[in-house]
Amino acid sequence: MSKHLLSKSTFIRSQQCQKSLYLHKKRPFLRDKLSAVQLAKFRRGTGVGVLARELFPGGIDMSPRSPSQYEQKRNETAEALSNHEINVLYEAVFQFDDVLIMLDILVRDGDNWVAYEVKSSRSLSETYMKDAALQHYVLNGCNVKLSDFVLVYINSDYVFNYELDLNQLFIKRSVLTESELQAETIGHQITLSKLTLELSNSPQLSIGIHCNKPYPCDFIGHCWKNIPSNSILHLTTFDEDLRFKLINQGINTIDDLPKEMIQNECQQLQIEALTINEITYNANKIKVYLNSINSTLKKQGSVSLKLLVHRPAVPFIYLTQPYQLLPLALSIRNNDTNATESISFTLDLKGLEDFSKIMNTIFNENNLVITDDTDIIMETLFNVQSILSASFSFSPESAKEQLIGIHQLINEGQVFHPVLRNDWNMNDTILALTGKNNSLKEEVYLINDLLKADGNEETARILQRLATYPQAIFQLFEKIQQLQNMK
Ligand code: SF4
């Protein structure tokens, strides 16, 4: 059998954009660097897949160690299927119509088989259904008689109770009928993708909303590189569909935009920022946000706080749920004395108790707590309260009145700058507001390093990097305060 042309992931890629498939296969060097967030998601997916195997223990792992083993593993899979002593296979390898798949779990069911595809998310998407339909198509082509095809995903209502109950953690949903119905379409789409791969140049496809849906494409850096800095595509205050519609009508730059299309002050401010290449903002809105802090509290102190959290797909602490935020470390700076302290928490009930004690001290002794993103603090406080019940001497709801978030200040204060794009990011915000390249280590890396840290010395080194955050947060806060006074 000849080498495959498509896999599960390249087929799914082709469904988003045929050009992306072509570039991935023929011009991989043009791909953007994998972001830290995407890398973390990928690793999480792999871990959940391995855990789900325990739903059907005792199987044989067919995972190829490298692409050179695909053929061998395909042959071993075929042999295993006809061996009636083998009932469960993990990562069984099949190829049909030039598409190679590795099925997460295959379980014998009398003379038939049940296929299981595991997803680490809490809901099923159209992409997952297509993924299942493709695998069903290949299995059918390989004459594997299926009595069912099941998607396995995470039950968001599951609560960990001393021992992991995989049958409660995972939800199983049969998609056999939907997959069968899509067989003909899948066949056509495979043919189309194979034709794309025969082209001598990449297909002439324009950029569009498909560049970010359902996933951000990793060739955006290449395809979008000639978009001018005054393109209307940068106007995130306008609906994305509308921006592409305008481009198709020949309205490419901000200068081309008819005045009557600008509907609010927010859009006007963003247009101004992109035109003059400087920061623009709404001083009144900044004032309103800052005044929402309860100044009647009889406390004096002000601290800057950076909290790192872990969001495990599979819960492991009593009463926690999938993807619930858990405190991992924090760094706190007294804004009057400049003293900074950083602490890491163990991922257990004691760690949650330590976190609640520190938060009690912080919120009881200070009037103002400045952080990068208040949503993270609030969600973590509510989570910890629900697990430990009545662990705080203040109500997490009232903590809102003491909290200021830089992210929220930027949004509420309608602060715009050409480097501030859709994704909130501390380094971009520092660059926009101060003109300096601060290069804080991205928090997703700090979290990853902390989770892997082997010993106190390594943890201390990571906490040192974390300690650079509170000062940066305070500098941004001061900068935004100055903006408010300048108008
Ligand atoms: S950036 Fe857009 S047009 Fe370019 S390959 Fe990706 S999805 Fe296709």
Side-chain angles (χ1 to χ4, degrees), residues 16-17 19-20 23 205-208 210-211 217 219-220 223-224:
Q16 181 166 346
C17 173
K19 184 176 177 182
S20 168
L23 293 174
L205 290 171
S206 307
I207 57 170
H210 60 274
C211 295
C217 175
F219 289 100
I220 285 183
C223 294
W224 290 56

Side-chain angles (χ1 to χ4, degrees), residues 41-324:
K41 267 191 197 161
F42 176 71
R43 287 192 184 131
R44 187 163 59 211
T46 314
V48 170
V50 171
L51 179 70
R53 291 179 187 176
E54 290 173 32
L55 287 166
F56 307 97
I60 296 180
D61 186 1
M62 290 289 168
S63 307
R65 279 195 298 276
S66 71
S68 65
Q69 281 197 329
Y70 286 157
E71 191 175 349
Q72 177 198 333
K73 292 294 174 184
R74 225 171 46 216
N75 294 335
E76 286 178 17
T77 296
E79 281 166 28
L81 291 188
S82 49
N83 180 346
H84 282 263
E85 284 176 11
I86 296 175
N87 293 312
V88 181
L89 293 173
Y90 309 131
E91 301 295 326
V93 184
F94 298 94
Q95 186 173 326
F96 173 69
D97 201 4
D98 298 314
V99 182
L100 181 111
I101 62 160
M102 283 176 265
L103 186 71
D104 285 338
I105 304 167
L106 191 59
V107 179
R108 193 182 289 280
D109 178 24
D111 290 338
N112 299 322
W113 293 87
V114 181
Y116 293 89
E117 171 68 16
V118 183
K119 299 295 173 198
S120 60
S121 56
R122 288 168 284 183
S123 59
L124 295 182
S125 65
E126 214 180 291
T127 304
Y128 294 159
M129 302 303 280
K130 194 151 254 182
D131 180 337
L134 173 77
Q135 298 196 66
H136 180 271
Y137 174 88
V138 172
L139 290 168
N140 198 33
C142 293
N143 294 319
V144 179
K145 299 277 171 273
L146 288 183
S147 54
D148 207 351
F149 195 109
V150 179
L151 284 176
V152 180
Y153 61 106
I154 301 270
N155 172 12
S156 55
D157 293 330
Y158 172 70
V159 180
F160 179 82
N161 211 334
Y162 294 116
E163 258 182 50
L164 194 60
D165 183 341
L166 293 182
N167 285 307
Q168 294 296 321
L169 172 68
F170 289 113
I171 295 175
K172 301 187 197 97
R173 185 178 148 202
S174 168
V175 292
L176 184 70
T177 313
E178 290 105 311
S179 301
E180 278 169 348
L181 287 173
Q182 284 200 51
E184 201 180 322
T185 316
I186 294 283
H188 291 317
Q189 287 164 340
I190 290 171
T191 306
L192 178 68
S193 298
K194 287 197 284 191
L195 286 173
T196 297
L197 293 177
E198 282 174 17
L199 297 172
S200 44
N201 288 307
S202 73
Q204 295 298 306
L205 290 171
S206 307
I207 57 170
I209 48 171
H210 60 274
C211 295
N212 277 301
K213 284 181 191 147
Y215 307 111
C217 175
D218 45 7
F219 289 100
I220 285 183
H222 169 68
C223 294
W224 290 56
K225 66 176 183 285
N226 293 325
I227 302 294
S229 58
N230 64 347
S231 165
I232 58 160
L233 291 178
H234 299 309
L235 293 178
T236 50
T237 47
F238 288 72
D239 183 70
E240 198 182 12
D241 279 342
L242 175 65
R243 281 179 263 157
F244 280 106
K245 219 187 243 168
L246 290 171
I247 292 272
N248 291 335
Q249 290 168 11
I251 299 171
N252 293 306
T253 67
I254 291 165
D255 301 335
D256 302 334
L257 193 69
K259 295 270 172 295
E260 60 273 16
M261 297 220 64
I262 305 166
Q263 290 181 345
N264 54 50
E265 198 177 350
C266 210
Q267 292 175 336
Q268 185 59 53
L269 281 167
Q270 189 178 33
I271 289 170
E272 207 180 311
L274 289 172
T275 308
I276 60 176
N277 198 22
E278 274 183 32
I279 197 156
T280 58
Y281 53 94
N282 185 328
N284 281 336
K285 297 266 184 192
I286 294 176
K287 244 178 228 144
V288 170
Y289 180 80
L290 291 175
N291 288 343
S292 67
I293 296 303
N294 189 348
S295 53
T296 60
L297 296 171
K298 293 183 178 53
K299 301 167 207 164
Q300 291 297 317
S302 143
V303 290
S304 306
L305 170 72
K306 172 66 189 167
L307 175 66
L308 289 185
V309 288
H310 179 39
R311 197 189 270 278
V314 180
F316 51 86
I317 300 178
Y318 181 58
L319 293 184
T320 56
Q321 292 184 277
Y323 290 99
Q324 203 165 27

Side-chain angles (χ1 to χ4, degrees), residues 398-429:
S398 73
K400 256 192 208 156
E401 296 176 10
Q402 289 169 261
L403 265 177
I404 283 185
I406 301 299
H407 185 189
Q408 285 69 25
L409 246 176
I410 297 278
N411 281 344
E412 298 286 327
Q414 300 175 345
V415 179
F416 293 101
H417 186 279
V419 302
L420 292 176
R421 296 280 155 91
N422 257 354
D423 293 343
W424 153 252
N425 177 310
M426 274 286 286
N427 278 324
D428 286 351
T429 311

